[in-house]
Structures are given as structure tokens and as C-alpha cells.
Amino acid sequence: MIKFYNTLTRKEEVFKPITDNLVRIYTCGPTVYDYAHIGNLRSYIFADVLRRTLELAGFKVKQIINITDVGHLTSNEDEGEDKIQKRAEREQKTPEQIAAFYTKAFLSDLKKLNIEKQKILPKASEHIKEMIAMIEKIFATGYAYETKDGIYFDTKKFKDYGMLSRQKIDLERRSRVDKISGKKNPTDFALWLKTTGKHKSHIMKWDSPWGEGFPGWHIECSAMSQKYLGDEFDIHTGGVDHIPVHHENEIAQSYAANAKIPAKFWMHGEFLIVDKKRMGKSEGNLLTLAELEKKEYEPVTFRFLVLRNHYRSKIQFDDEKMREAKTALKFLYSSLSRLKRPQAKTIVAESTALAEKINQAEQEIKKSFFDDLNTPRVIDILFEMAHYLNKLKSEDKIGEAEIKDALERIYLMADKVLAINLTELVSLKKEIPLEILKLAEERQKAKDSKDFKLADKIRKEIEDKGFKIEDTRGESPYRIIPSNK
Ligand code: AMP
Ligand code: ZN
């Protein structure tokens, strides 16, 4: 049984796909006007773990991450300049060049963090036709009105407005209503903005039934989710900041157009915090993945740090936490490496109890993933089992077959979701011979004692035997790969 916390109902609920074996997920993606910061990246690690957990459960998953390359203004509330255009002007480039550059950087960050590649990454600017069609539908059902600067959604017409964030529409949550001419209620938001008045010099613009202009920020997600996933799909994800505005507005738009709440489950990842403040552009406390790499941290260490925390808990990020994560991951890697070594003798003792223990751990890992993505618990189990197995090994109470079984059933399985490079480390298909492992250890010792001549000699010997040895900057000092890989 799989259970997820649903922001819509504020409860953990049993998850079942709407149709057959396929789970459809929409993940709100980045606005590509700058490098992603590690707070943003935390939210995509959460979406990746969600996807991988559903795959572990045997479902097929269709997940969309959109790329916002137009229409997201510097204020989330239809004011200010277009974020991408502003950057383009500063760098004397076109908005398209800015968007292409930062999309590429974003995808490279995802890859480094072992986030599975998405087949569909739709761009807002390529779906204007779908957005216009949806706005026309919203007009036809009576939820939209025109002002001199754009088309707005009338939130008062949607009686359930506020259902996700549980805010009251009458509560003047924003008092800027009178600043935007013609807006009826403070919570009303733009579906389309005309390139007149303050938006006169907007660069990316299209023809529409309401004159030349560009879309509001929220409509892209309603239009693209409908196009790729249908009127009603399984899960919608984003960060907690999306609850009160972006996702609330998506629900309103999609309901107005299709008379359905677009997703069954709404799941939100908590913030990454620095010095008590959310990591964010306006706070001036940004850190990118490249900056972590400069400090000699591998991206996978950041992924590990994120997963040691539940996605619905805040992470207080600092250098100390990164160092701790690095040490812990290194410890896990080295205990697995020790286990991997083939035994000279094979002693099978307490084998029924051991098989039972492995079985239990396997079940508990799955149960934890399926219990609203309890990754911290899974990681605890991995450490507990590594201690236990190493202890048995040092007492000569465990045989090769049991080690192999434990590695396959526990570590390879958990890594399908955690993706913290355990698979590479314990992969049993390309088992490295004991002789090579010993040579690699000798080489490391030579390097540690600065005998580089000897280290080079051993490296050559390893290569002659058909293996490559690669030094890594990170948590495991080296990696051995068969030469034909
Ligand atoms: P944006 O590009 O600003 O739309 O943000 C991309 C994603 O990152 C959204 O899902 C946000 O909710 C999320 N996000 C932004 N700041 C943080 C943060 N400090 N911690 C975690 N997630 C964040
Ligand atoms: Zn969105």
C-alpha cells in the first residue's frame, strides 16, 4: 500500500493511479533566467524520488517538467518586468538566448544529481496556441473578464477559490488591487497581458483574440498539463511556495475550463533554509551546485543530504551539514566496499536468522518509501544493516552467498530510488577480482604515503590486467572499472 500526504486534503491518503498501471505527474519546473540554486534543486530531487518510488512499486510513470521561458514577472502577482527579458536586457542578449543557456545549465544540474531524464520538457513559449484556447474556454464559461491591460481570472466566480491554501478570498491578502487598473478582486490574476501601457516594450509577444500580448504565468501549467496528461491526472508537485498562488490559480483555471480539479494529489516539498531564511533570490543567500563542487563536494553528497531529511521538513543548510553528509556517505561506501570483497572461505552460520533479517530489511525499506517517501528511515536501515553485516563478516559468520543476497536485495533495491551511487559500488555483474581490489588498495596506500612512483607502477599493473582505476575527488577515493567500459 502506498500513502502520500495530499496538500489538498491535509491528510495522508492511499495512492492508486486513476487509470491502470500508469501514473501521470506534473512537476512545476524552473523559470530559466538564472542558474538554479540548491533550494530549487531540492524540490526536483523530491520529484525524482517520487517518480522512482512509483517505479519501484511497479508503475509506469509519465512525468512532465515544464520550462518557463516567458510571462513570469518579477513579482508573482502580475507586476514588474518579465524575469527573462530583464536578464536579456542586462546581458544584451535575446530572451531566447537566455532561456536556452539556463535550460541547458538546469538539465546539466539534474544529470549531476542523478535525476532521471524527462522525455517531455515542454516550453511555455511553444504552447501559446494551447494557452489561448484555454483562455477562450475560461471566457466562455464566464470566469474571465477583459480590462484595458489584459484578461483576468475572476476569482470571486470560483466558489472554491482558496481550497488548496485554505485562504479566504475576502481576506485582503494583497492590497494592490487598485494599482492594477480594472482588477476586480485582490486575488484575481492575469491570464493574458496586452503589450500596451507598462508592458508596451515586452519582447516576446503573440497575436491573440485580445490583441498582441503574452500569457500570464499560471496558464502555461494548466494548458500544458492538460495537453500532455489530460484533464485529470494523478499528482501535481512543486515547492510549498506554490500552494497559495501558483497552484491555487492553476486549480481555478483548469476547473473553469474543464469542470475538474486537474490533479488528485497535490504534493509539496519544503524549503531549504539558510540562517533562518528560505534560500531565494530576494534573500541574497543563493548557492549553486557548481559552488558546492568548487568546495570539493560531489553533487551526490548534496542529494544524500537532502534525502536524509523528509521532503516535508525544512532543511537548515550549512557547511557543517554538508561535511557531516560527506563523512556519513563515505562511511556507507567503505562499509559496502568491505562487504563486497569475496571471502577466502565461505562460512554459513546462523543462515536462517540472517535470511530473515535481510527479508525484514527489504520489506521495511519498501514500506518506508511507500510511507510518504520516508527516505531518512531507509537510510537508517542501510546503515544498520551495513553495521550488522560487517560485524558478522568480521566474526566469520557470514558467507559469500549471503553477502551477495543482502547487497542485491537491500542496497541495489534502495538505490533504485535513492540513486546515491550505491549501485556502481556494489554492482555484482562486473565483479572486480580480489587480486585487482588488493592492488588498488596497495596503490592507495602508496599514494597516501606520497610514494607516487610506486602508485604509478601499480596503476600500470592494474591496467595491464584489464581494469582502469579512476581517482575521484569525493567520498570514495577511487573507482575501478573494467577497461572495456
Ligand atoms: P522557480 O524557478 O522560482 O519557479 O522555482 C523552482 C522550484 O524551486 C519551485 O518548485 C519552488 O517551489 C522551489 N523552491 C524555490 N526556493 C526554494 C527553497 N529555498 N527550497 C526548496 N525549494 C525551493
Ligand atoms: Zn506550474
Side-chain angles (χ1 to χ4, degrees):
M1 185 171 64
I2 303 180
K3 276 184 155 186
F4 294 139
Y5 182 82
N6 190 351
T7 309
L8 198 58
T9 56
R10 301 286 194 278
K11 276 200 301 252
E12 269 196 18
E13 289 176 34
V14 175
F15 175 80
K16 280 207 182 78
I18 299 171
T19 42
D20 307 325
N21 204 30
L22 176 72
V23 181
R24 289 164 292 162
I25 307 177
Y26 190 92
T27 294
C28 280
T31 305
V32 280
Y33 70 108
D34 204 344
Y35 293 107
H37 58 73
I38 58 170
N40 299 138
L41 294 172
R42 175 186 189 191
S43 82
Y44 302 111
I45 294 175
F46 146 60
D48 183 59
V49 164
L50 172 65
R51 176 200 175 106
R52 287 170 175 271
T53 297
L54 290 160
E55 283 168 346
L56 183 72
F59 296 117
K60 263 188 77 154
V61 180
K62 184 174 180 187
Q63 184 182 30
I64 309 286
I65 300 187
N66 66 300
I67 303 285
T68 302
D69 57 356
V70 68
H72 194 167
L73 303 185
T74 42
S75 135
N76 281 350
E77 296 156 16
D78 308 325
E79 283 189 76
E81 299 162 80
D82 182 297
K83 289 185 178 183
I84 295 173
Q85 178 166 331
K86 189 173 166 198
R87 183 74 179 221
E89 279 160 3
R90 208 174 82 198
E91 294 190 14
Q92 298 189 324
K93 299 215 166 77
T94 63
E96 288 83 357
Q97 283 171 325
I98 294 293
F101 180 83
Y102 290 110
T103 302
K104 206 167 151 212
F106 172 67
L107 296 179
S108 146
D109 283 349
L110 296 196
K111 187 160 182 238
K112 286 183 184 167
L113 290 167
N114 295 342
I115 293 175
E116 280 183 353
K117 200 166 184 291
Q118 309 303 313
K119 290 198 188 75
I120 311 174
L121 290 150
K123 291 185 193 152
S125 64
E126 291 173 2
H127 293 80
I128 303 295
K129 194 166 71 33
E130 288 83 352
M131 294 188 227
I132 291 177
M134 193 169 223
I135 300 170
E136 284 186 305
K137 258 177 130 180
I138 297 172
F139 241 121
T141 52
Y143 287 88
Y145 60 92
E146 184 165 0
T147 70
K148 66 178 189 328
D149 77 341
I151 307 297
Y152 285 87
F153 189 95
D154 188 346
T155 49
K156 231 176 194 147
K157 284 255 165 73
F158 180 44
K159 70 170 177 25
D160 289 329
Y161 190 80
M163 68 194 297
L164 187 67
S165 56
R166 309 203 165 176
Q167 62 195 316
K168 293 217 169 54
I169 186 169
D170 294 331
L171 214 101
E172 293 266 314
R173 85 171 142 93
R174 288 166 236 152
S175 56
R176 300 204 187 97
V177 63
D178 45 349
K179 281 203 203 155
I180 299 174
S181 54
K183 208 163 128 168
K184 293 187 192 166
N185 312 295
T187 42
D188 291 0
F189 55 92
L191 297 167
W192 187 262
L193 289 161
K194 300 176 187 172
T195 39
T196 54
K198 60 177 181 281
H199 297 303
K200 203 169 167 187
S201 51
H202 203 271
I203 300 173
M204 291 173 93
K205 52 192 173 189
W206 293 266
D207 279 333
S208 83
W210 318 282
E212 201 183 58
F214 61 98
W217 173 36
H218 318 292
I219 191 73
E220 66 173 275
C221 289
S222 288
M224 296 197 286
S225 64
Q226 186 189 359
K227 173 168 177 176
Y228 295 101
L229 304 176
D231 292 357
E232 209 179 17
F233 52 93
D234 298 290
I235 308 175
H236 200 310
T237 77
V240 285
D241 54 327
H242 283 344
I243 302 172
V245 181
H246 185 51
H247 287 174
E248 198 73 83
N249 294 351
E250 268 189 55
I251 291 179
Q253 293 167 150
S254 296
Y255 192 86
N258 304 321
K260 278 183 193 138
I261 295 167
K264 286 251 172 209
F265 278 73
W266 292 77
M267 295 175 68
H268 296 95
E270 252 298 351
F271 283 145
L272 186 119
I273 307 280
V274 182
D275 289 339
K276 302 204 172 72
K277 281 191 225 131
R278 157 194 176 183
M279 181 170 282
K281 219 175 174 82
S282 46
E283 309 293 348
N285 57 5
L286 301 188
L287 202 57
T288 61
L289 197 59
E291 281 160 346
L292 282 188
E293 286 182 287
K294 261 193 225 132
K295 292 186 174 183
E296 307 274 296
Y297 291 118
E298 285 192 21
V300 71
T301 307
F302 176 65
R303 183 174 171 114
F304 177 68
L305 183 154
V306 167
L307 299 181
R308 287 175 100 191
N309 296 270
H310 191 258
Y311 76 94
R312 289 197 287 118
S313 309
K314 292 185 175 63
I315 296 179
Q316 307 285 345
F317 182 88
D318 56 29
D319 216 44
E320 177 72 31
K321 286 256 168 55
M322 261 324 268
R323 274 200 302 274
E324 270 170 30
K326 183 169 172 156
T327 310
L329 190 58
K330 200 168 171 175
F331 177 80
L332 186 63
Y333 283 169
S334 65
S335 13
L336 292 186
S337 298
R338 258 181 284 144
L339 275 175
K340 198 167 71 99
R341 312 276 152 91
Q343 304 263 94
K345 51 186 168 183
T346 301
I347 301 155
V348 184
E350 300 174 3
S351 73
T352 338
L354 181 63
E356 184 53 29
K357 182 110 180 154
I358 294 171
N359 228 350
Q360 260 176 20
E362 186 189 13
Q363 295 311 319
E364 212 187 326
I365 288 171
K366 281 195 182 155
K367 216 171 97 195
S368 305
F369 280 134
F370 298 161
D371 175 19
D372 198 28
L373 313 177
N374 193 348
T375 52
R377 176 69 196 126
V378 172
I379 292 173
D380 282 348
I381 300 170
L382 295 187
F383 275 94
E384 283 162 21
M385 279 305 284
H387 277 298
Y388 175 76
L389 295 169
N390 268 313
K391 189 164 169 286
L392 286 190
K393 193 182 162 202
S394 65
E395 291 167 2
D396 270 353
K397 282 186 181 163
I398 187 170
E400 233 181 282
E402 284 76 12
I403 292 181
K404 198 168 151 161
D405 192 35
L407 290 176
E408 267 175 359
R409 285 171 54 200
I410 300 173
Y411 294 94
L412 295 191
M413 188 261 284
D415 205 43
K416 282 190 184 148
V417 178
L418 299 177
I420 48 171
N421 297 349
L422 303 180
T423 305
E424 200 177 61
L425 195 75
V426 301
S427 183
L428 301 163
K429 276 181 235 114
K430 42 182 180 212
E431 188 67 78
I432 314 292
L434 185 60
E435 182 195 7
I436 303 292
L437 292 169
K438 281 198 170 138
L439 282 171
E441 245 171 50
E442 278 171 32
R443 173 177 167 273
Q444 190 60 37
K445 270 190 210 141
K447 273 186 71 188
D448 291 346
S449 53
K450 306 221 177 313
D451 187 349
F452 297 114
K453 223 170 147 186
L454 178 62
D456 274 351
K457 192 173 151 261
I458 304 175
R459 169 198 282 276
K460 183 132 196 339
E461 203 178 325
I462 292 173
E463 284 172 355
D464 290 345
K465 290 184 194 293
F467 290 85
K468 271 194 299 205
I469 184 157
E470 276 180 10
D471 291 314
T472 63
R473 279 189 299 134
E475 290 50 16
S476 49
Y478 54 81
R479 204 176 274 153
I480 309 169
I481 312 161
S483 299
N484 56 0
K485 291 274 162 196

